[in-house]
Amino acid sequence: MLELFYSPFGEFEFMQRAVVGVIAIALGGGPIGVFLMLRRMSLTGDAMAHAILPGAAIGYLFAGLSLPALTVGGLFAGVIVAVAAGLVSRFTSLKEDASLAAFYLLSLALGVTIVSLRGSNVDLLHVLFGTVLALDDNALLLLASISTVTFLALAVLYRPLVLECVDPTFLRSVSRAGTPTHLIFLGLVVLNLVGGFHALGTLLAVGMMMLPAAAARFWSSDITMMMILSVLIGIVSGISGLLLSFHAELPAGPAIILSAGIVYVGSLILGREGGLLWLAWPGKHLEA
Amino acid sequence: MTTTAIRFDEVTLGYGRRPAVHHLDGEIAAGSLTAVVGPNGAGKSTLLKGIVGTLRPLEGQIRLGGAANAAIAYLPQAAEIDRSFPLSVYDLVAMGLWSRSGLFGSVSRKDRTRIEQALAAVGLIGFERRSISTLSGGQMQRALFARLLLQDSPVILLDEPFTAIDAKTTADLLDVVRRWHAEDRTVVAVLHDLDLVKRVFPQTLLIAREPVAWGETSGVLSAENLLKARRMVEAYDPHASACYRGAA
């Protein structure tokens, strides 16, 4: 029985690489997802994942499915959209969700058009759903670097990030760190999405951020705990998704996100912090 | 000798091109206790945002005598705080140490003592680990006053600090305000309770987009001035043309 768990990873190098990849993605994406959720920007992550597409597509147009070209292109497009949407919402009357929706729809249409200029359906699938089972050394190094940068940056930005969520007016009154913090945070979101994009594609990359974070919210109301849980849920979902895909011959990316989805639905039902079961049967009320 | 804490030079503050505070000229003395009163929409909160520096004047200048923007302790209206964020009372209050601890600074044992003292001063001992989402309106305001205490600032701005707060909490927090005044800090508070203003605040600025009256509270809060303020704020010209006052 146990063999079902470790034999795929013992026998096949591509599975070992995939595990390292999903662990790196979970380490970076987990805490970022928690902050996206607490900042009520869950859909922003989704929008930005789409925004990466035209950049990656331009990279593809020039260099085919090459790691550096897709990465640089995706980063470039993601940062432009993130910064442009952030600035539009800060300095005009349009709210961030609306400005992001405008930018990401534009970039999604542009991205699909560019890929279809040259690519086959296989290439389009690669870009949209990633290739977690074909991560080479460079891709793994990239993913590991991204999670390292994310950890370091979050350690530096932790206080202003929390302050900007709870009481942005207070932060603006004591410091000018608000706008740079927001922009650097958006940069980290893009960075993690670009990393996730190689493994899971533009459409599913955001799943490894938001599903673990949303599930973690049902188990703790402490930010640190939420980030730890989010990372652990990401790692568990990643590994079980890979196993599911291996044994049931399912596509790996969707299997990983489905696993995270199962954890999310389980947490939604059972979670101690506002899960459905606890809401339905809260127990007898307490003394006043 | 009185020195100036905040000086307004023909200040106009607003949103887009429409002024919310129009051509305010005057000064707030260091160590004074000033109430800002006026009808809703009179520009009171806008004025505080201008002083803190989160809103830049459309025209004119706000000068701070000595204190930098970041040294001002500012209590915004409670509605602007996300109470659903998972944060403890202790951590919320500890934010008041920002100017000293900044991004990385650790919270020393001395800081911990100061946080405990601030919590004690506002009657929140025992609430340290409570999440801010579980606090009542009055308890939240107490916590925010504790944060102001920690900021230890020479200039303190309060935006409607006692709105929807019960009498006991108001009385306790007014004691904190009186203590600040006794310590020669400059306190400016936006308020709606005129009886409270008359009892506690020696100076008052009555504003209705344009300044109506400014000085000793008893003189400023005359029936005539209050009526004038109400009329001024109700007058709204959708086709207002550009203002050239002061452009000589």
Side-chain angles (χ1 to χ4, degrees), chain A residues 269-286:
Chain A
I269 295 168
L270 301 171
R272 290 296 303 256
E273 296 281 335
L276 291 176
L277 269 187
W278 297 89
L279 290 181
W281 291 282
K284 194 97 180 81
H285 71 75
L286 305 174

PDB file of all heavy atoms in Angstrom, chain A residues 269-286:
ATOM      1  N   ILE A 269     -16.165  22.581   4.824  1.00  0.00           N
ATOM      2  CA  ILE A 269     -17.178  21.852   5.584  1.00  0.00           C
ATOM      3  C   ILE A 269     -16.754  21.680   7.048  1.00  0.00           C
ATOM      4  O   ILE A 269     -17.523  21.936   7.964  1.00  0.00           O
ATOM      5  CB  ILE A 269     -17.435  20.466   4.946  1.00  0.00           C
ATOM      6  CG1 ILE A 269     -18.052  20.669   3.557  1.00  0.00           C
ATOM      7  CG2 ILE A 269     -18.366  19.626   5.817  1.00  0.00           C
ATOM      8  CD1 ILE A 269     -18.094  19.425   2.709  1.00  0.00           C
ATOM      9  N   LEU A 270     -15.469  21.295   7.258  1.00  0.00           N
ATOM     10  CA  LEU A 270     -15.049  20.899   8.602  1.00  0.00           C
ATOM     11  C   LEU A 270     -14.329  21.980   9.403  1.00  0.00           C
ATOM     12  O   LEU A 270     -14.201  21.853  10.614  1.00  0.00           O
ATOM     13  CB  LEU A 270     -14.122  19.673   8.510  1.00  0.00           C
ATOM     14  CG  LEU A 270     -14.709  18.427   7.845  1.00  0.00           C
ATOM     15  CD1 LEU A 270     -13.626  17.391   7.622  1.00  0.00           C
ATOM     16  CD2 LEU A 270     -15.832  17.855   8.697  1.00  0.00           C
ATOM     17  N   GLY A 271     -13.821  23.008   8.723  1.00  0.00           N
ATOM     18  CA  GLY A 271     -12.921  23.982   9.349  1.00  0.00           C
ATOM     19  C   GLY A 271     -13.455  24.560  10.647  1.00  0.00           C
ATOM     20  O   GLY A 271     -14.639  24.895  10.764  1.00  0.00           O
ATOM     21  N   ARG A 272     -12.547  24.710  11.662  1.00  0.00           N
ATOM     22  CA  ARG A 272     -12.949  25.229  12.975  1.00  0.00           C
ATOM     23  C   ARG A 272     -13.324  26.698  12.933  1.00  0.00           C
ATOM     24  O   ARG A 272     -14.046  27.200  13.768  1.00  0.00           O
ATOM     25  CB  ARG A 272     -11.785  25.051  13.979  1.00  0.00           C
ATOM     26  CG  ARG A 272     -11.488  23.646  14.394  1.00  0.00           C
ATOM     27  CD  ARG A 272     -12.634  23.014  15.139  1.00  0.00           C
ATOM     28  NE  ARG A 272     -13.026  23.771  16.337  1.00  0.00           N
ATOM     29  CZ  ARG A 272     -12.727  23.402  17.574  1.00  0.00           C
ATOM     30  NH1 ARG A 272     -12.054  22.312  17.793  1.00  0.00           N
ATOM     31  NH2 ARG A 272     -13.128  24.123  18.618  1.00  0.00           N
ATOM     32  N   GLU A 273     -12.783  27.434  11.958  1.00  0.00           N
ATOM     33  CA  GLU A 273     -13.040  28.880  11.888  1.00  0.00           C
ATOM     34  C   GLU A 273     -14.106  29.166  10.833  1.00  0.00           C
ATOM     35  O   GLU A 273     -13.801  29.557   9.707  1.00  0.00           O
ATOM     36  CB  GLU A 273     -11.749  29.636  11.540  1.00  0.00           C
ATOM     37  CG  GLU A 273     -10.664  29.518  12.577  1.00  0.00           C
ATOM     38  CD  GLU A 273     -10.919  30.450  13.760  1.00  0.00           C
ATOM     39  OE1 GLU A 273     -11.605  31.471  13.589  1.00  0.00           O
ATOM     40  OE2 GLU A 273     -10.410  30.132  14.859  1.00  0.00           O
ATOM     41  N   GLY A 274     -15.347  28.930  11.192  1.00  0.00           N
ATOM     42  CA  GLY A 274     -16.430  29.299  10.268  1.00  0.00           C
ATOM     43  C   GLY A 274     -16.744  28.252   9.223  1.00  0.00           C
ATOM     44  O   GLY A 274     -17.373  28.580   8.216  1.00  0.00           O
ATOM     45  N   GLY A 275     -16.296  26.982   9.425  1.00  0.00           N
ATOM     46  CA  GLY A 275     -16.688  25.923   8.509  1.00  0.00           C
ATOM     47  C   GLY A 275     -18.187  25.650   8.601  1.00  0.00           C
ATOM     48  O   GLY A 275     -18.832  25.979   9.601  1.00  0.00           O
ATOM     49  N   LEU A 276     -18.751  25.018   7.549  1.00  0.00           N
ATOM     50  CA  LEU A 276     -20.203  24.854   7.478  1.00  0.00           C
ATOM     51  C   LEU A 276     -20.759  24.024   8.640  1.00  0.00           C
ATOM     52  O   LEU A 276     -21.791  24.363   9.202  1.00  0.00           O
ATOM     53  CB  LEU A 276     -20.583  24.189   6.147  1.00  0.00           C
ATOM     54  CG  LEU A 276     -20.373  25.065   4.907  1.00  0.00           C
ATOM     55  CD1 LEU A 276     -20.692  24.277   3.647  1.00  0.00           C
ATOM     56  CD2 LEU A 276     -21.229  26.321   4.982  1.00  0.00           C
ATOM     57  N   LEU A 277     -20.043  22.938   9.012  1.00  0.00           N
ATOM     58  CA  LEU A 277     -20.524  22.093  10.102  1.00  0.00           C
ATOM     59  C   LEU A 277     -20.647  22.876  11.398  1.00  0.00           C
ATOM     60  O   LEU A 277     -21.613  22.737  12.143  1.00  0.00           O
ATOM     61  CB  LEU A 277     -19.563  20.919  10.323  1.00  0.00           C
ATOM     62  CG  LEU A 277     -19.851  19.637   9.542  1.00  0.00           C
ATOM     63  CD1 LEU A 277     -18.912  18.539  10.019  1.00  0.00           C
ATOM     64  CD2 LEU A 277     -21.304  19.208   9.739  1.00  0.00           C
ATOM     65  N   TRP A 278     -19.644  23.710  11.679  1.00  0.00           N
ATOM     66  CA  TRP A 278     -19.629  24.495  12.914  1.00  0.00           C
ATOM     67  C   TRP A 278     -20.688  25.571  12.886  1.00  0.00           C
ATOM     68  O   TRP A 278     -21.182  25.995  13.935  1.00  0.00           O
ATOM     69  CB  TRP A 278     -18.244  25.084  13.167  1.00  0.00           C
ATOM     70  CG  TRP A 278     -17.232  24.014  13.372  1.00  0.00           C
ATOM     71  CD1 TRP A 278     -16.496  23.401  12.397  1.00  0.00           C
ATOM     72  CD2 TRP A 278     -16.876  23.382  14.596  1.00  0.00           C
ATOM     73  NE1 TRP A 278     -15.706  22.434  12.948  1.00  0.00           N
ATOM     74  CE2 TRP A 278     -15.915  22.395  14.298  1.00  0.00           C
ATOM     75  CE3 TRP A 278     -17.274  23.563  15.928  1.00  0.00           C
ATOM     76  CZ2 TRP A 278     -15.344  21.596  15.270  1.00  0.00           C
ATOM     77  CZ3 TRP A 278     -16.699  22.759  16.895  1.00  0.00           C
ATOM     78  CH2 TRP A 278     -15.750  21.778  16.562  1.00  0.00           C
ATOM     79  N   LEU A 279     -21.015  26.038  11.673  1.00  0.00           N
ATOM     80  CA  LEU A 279     -22.073  27.040  11.575  1.00  0.00           C
ATOM     81  C   LEU A 279     -23.433  26.373  11.787  1.00  0.00           C
ATOM     82  O   LEU A 279     -24.336  26.939  12.398  1.00  0.00           O
ATOM     83  CB  LEU A 279     -22.049  27.722  10.201  1.00  0.00           C
ATOM     84  CG  LEU A 279     -20.862  28.655   9.925  1.00  0.00           C
ATOM     85  CD1 LEU A 279     -20.982  29.267   8.549  1.00  0.00           C
ATOM     86  CD2 LEU A 279     -20.792  29.756  10.983  1.00  0.00           C
ATOM     87  N   ALA A 280     -23.560  25.145  11.253  1.00  0.00           N
ATOM     88  CA  ALA A 280     -24.847  24.467  11.350  1.00  0.00           C
ATOM     89  C   ALA A 280     -25.105  23.954  12.772  1.00  0.00           C
ATOM     90  O   ALA A 280     -26.216  24.027  13.276  1.00  0.00           O
ATOM     91  CB  ALA A 280     -24.899  23.318  10.360  1.00  0.00           C
ATOM     92  N   TRP A 281     -24.060  23.422  13.416  1.00  0.00           N
ATOM     93  CA  TRP A 281     -24.191  22.921  14.787  1.00  0.00           C
ATOM     94  C   TRP A 281     -23.177  23.609  15.693  1.00  0.00           C
ATOM     95  O   TRP A 281     -22.170  23.022  16.096  1.00  0.00           O
ATOM     96  CB  TRP A 281     -23.981  21.402  14.825  1.00  0.00           C
ATOM     97  CG  TRP A 281     -25.091  20.665  14.163  1.00  0.00           C
ATOM     98  CD1 TRP A 281     -26.323  20.400  14.687  1.00  0.00           C
ATOM     99  CD2 TRP A 281     -25.086  20.088  12.856  1.00  0.00           C
ATOM    100  NE1 TRP A 281     -27.090  19.708  13.774  1.00  0.00           N
ATOM    101  CE2 TRP A 281     -26.355  19.497  12.645  1.00  0.00           C
ATOM    102  CE3 TRP A 281     -24.149  20.016  11.829  1.00  0.00           C
ATOM    103  CZ2 TRP A 281     -26.707  18.856  11.461  1.00  0.00           C
ATOM    104  CZ3 TRP A 281     -24.498  19.373  10.644  1.00  0.00           C
ATOM    105  CH2 TRP A 281     -25.767  18.796  10.475  1.00  0.00           C
ATOM    106  N   PRO A 282     -23.437  24.838  16.048  1.00  0.00           N
ATOM    107  CA  PRO A 282     -22.432  25.581  16.834  1.00  0.00           C
ATOM    108  C   PRO A 282     -22.355  25.116  18.294  1.00  0.00           C
ATOM    109  O   PRO A 282     -21.462  25.523  19.011  1.00  0.00           O
ATOM    110  CB  PRO A 282     -22.927  27.030  16.751  1.00  0.00           C
ATOM    111  CG  PRO A 282     -24.381  26.938  16.437  1.00  0.00           C
ATOM    112  CD  PRO A 282     -24.632  25.632  15.742  1.00  0.00           C
ATOM    113  N   GLY A 283     -23.298  24.279  18.743  1.00  0.00           N
ATOM    114  CA  GLY A 283     -23.312  23.907  20.157  1.00  0.00           C
ATOM    115  C   GLY A 283     -24.143  24.920  20.933  1.00  0.00           C
ATOM    116  O   GLY A 283     -24.550  25.951  20.400  1.00  0.00           O
ATOM    117  N   LYS A 284     -24.367  24.605  22.228  1.00  0.00           N
ATOM    118  CA  LYS A 284     -25.196  25.481  23.054  1.00  0.00           C
ATOM    119  C   LYS A 284     -24.481  26.806  23.265  1.00  0.00           C
ATOM    120  O   LYS A 284     -23.272  26.855  23.397  1.00  0.00           O
ATOM    121  CB  LYS A 284     -25.427  24.775  24.396  1.00  0.00           C
ATOM    122  CG  LYS A 284     -26.509  25.369  25.241  1.00  0.00           C
ATOM    123  CD  LYS A 284     -27.844  24.624  25.074  1.00  0.00           C
ATOM    124  CE  LYS A 284     -28.929  25.253  25.948  1.00  0.00           C
ATOM    125  NZ  LYS A 284     -29.537  26.431  25.365  1.00  0.00           N
ATOM    126  N   HIS A 285     -25.280  27.911  23.301  1.00  0.00           N
ATOM    127  CA  HIS A 285     -24.635  29.215  23.484  1.00  0.00           C
ATOM    128  C   HIS A 285     -23.991  29.327  24.863  1.00  0.00           C
ATOM    129  O   HIS A 285     -24.365  28.615  25.791  1.00  0.00           O
ATOM    130  CB  HIS A 285     -25.626  30.346  23.238  1.00  0.00           C
ATOM    131  CG  HIS A 285     -26.670  30.496  24.292  1.00  0.00           C
ATOM    132  ND1 HIS A 285     -26.414  31.040  25.528  1.00  0.00           N
ATOM    133  CD2 HIS A 285     -27.966  30.151  24.312  1.00  0.00           C
ATOM    134  CE1 HIS A 285     -27.501  31.041  26.252  1.00  0.00           C
ATOM    135  NE2 HIS A 285     -28.462  30.486  25.541  1.00  0.00           N
ATOM    136  N   LEU A 286     -23.021  30.255  24.973  1.00  0.00           N
ATOM    137  CA  LEU A 286     -22.219  30.353  26.195  1.00  0.00           C
ATOM    138  C   LEU A 286     -22.893  31.270  27.203  1.00  0.00           C
ATOM    139  O   LEU A 286     -23.863  31.968  26.872  1.00  0.00           O
ATOM    140  CB  LEU A 286     -20.828  30.901  25.846  1.00  0.00           C
ATOM    141  CG  LEU A 286     -20.061  30.136  24.774  1.00  0.00           C
ATOM    142  CD1 LEU A 286     -18.784  30.881  24.433  1.00  0.00           C
ATOM    143  CD2 LEU A 286     -19.749  28.722  25.233  1.00  0.00           C
TER     144      LEU A 286
END
